[in-house]
Amino acid sequence: MATMVPPVKLKWLEHLNSSWITEDSESIATREGAAIPYSKLVSNKEVVPLPQQVLCLKGPQLPDFERESLSSDERDHYLDALLSSQLALAEMVCSDSPFAVALRKRLLVLQRVFYALSNKYQDKGKVKQRGILWRAALVQQLSIL
């Protein structure tokens, strides 16, 4: 079974943005190609694994065998409880599958690349200046009316 990717805390380091911008996006598309940048994230401590939560897989309490039949409401309740327990187990098993683990790693790497790109190409000074000019023009228009 593949190693599970635990819940993580993201802490992007600004001084590494330029190295993430040059990351090859085509190599991230493969399972092996995403493993290397993910290990880079972990080694740089930009992704910090959090402790895993304890998982309780206790199913519903079913009645012992009884001679009299259950009411339809009780049967519906037990069926709903069994189905929800089965769904929770299926979600846990699917989230630990090799595909889900590789996909989670790939998404974290792509999230980091997107963060680096958005910080590089968004000039905060120009955006702030445009906002000030836009507000001044709006105030001037409102004062005319």
Side-chain angles (χ1 to χ4, degrees):
M1 185 129 200
T3 59
M4 185 178 155
V5 177
V8 294
K9 178 181 175 188
L10 304 176
K11 193 171 89 175
W12 305 139
L13 301 175
E14 298 293 327
H15 66 278
L16 296 175
N17 282 348
S18 59
S19 69
W20 282 104
I21 289 172
T22 59
E23 195 67 40
D24 182 21
S25 61
E26 288 188 21
S27 69
I28 297 171
T30 65
R31 184 175 299 196
E32 298 80 22
I36 295 168
Y38 181 78
S39 63
K40 183 175 156 186
L41 280 173
V42 172
S43 67
N44 290 336
K45 296 189 179 173
E46 291 185 284
V47 170
V48 179
L50 298 174
Q52 291 184 344
Q53 297 175 354
V54 177
L55 184 64
C56 180
L57 290 177
K58 186 177 180 182
Q61 293 290 354
L62 298 176
D64 293 331
F65 178 75
E66 298 175 0
R67 291 186 182 220
E68 63 245 14
S69 63
L70 298 172
S71 69
S72 65
D73 288 338
E74 288 176 324
R75 276 185 288 184
D76 288 342
H77 170 72
Y78 290 131
L79 282 174
D80 287 341
L82 284 171
L83 286 173
S84 64
S85 294
Q86 197 173 29
L87 179 62
L89 179 63
E91 286 175 348
M92 185 188 72
V93 168
C94 287
S95 67
D96 288 346
S97 70
F99 174 76
V101 170
L103 184 61
R104 215 172 294 127
K105 287 179 180 180
R106 192 174 305 148
L107 287 173
L108 284 171
V109 170
L110 288 172
Q111 196 174 1
R112 178 60 176 106
V113 170
F114 176 76
Y115 177 81
L117 286 170
S118 66
N119 275 353
K120 179 180 180 185
Y121 292 109
Q122 182 179 9
D123 190 358
K124 295 175 186 171
K126 287 183 181 178
V127 171
K128 188 175 182 179
Q129 184 65 26
R130 284 186 203 147
I132 292 170
L133 292 174
W134 183 77
R135 272 190 233 121
L138 183 62
V139 168
Q140 188 178 21
Q141 288 290 332
L142 291 175
S143 65
I144 294 173
L145 297 176

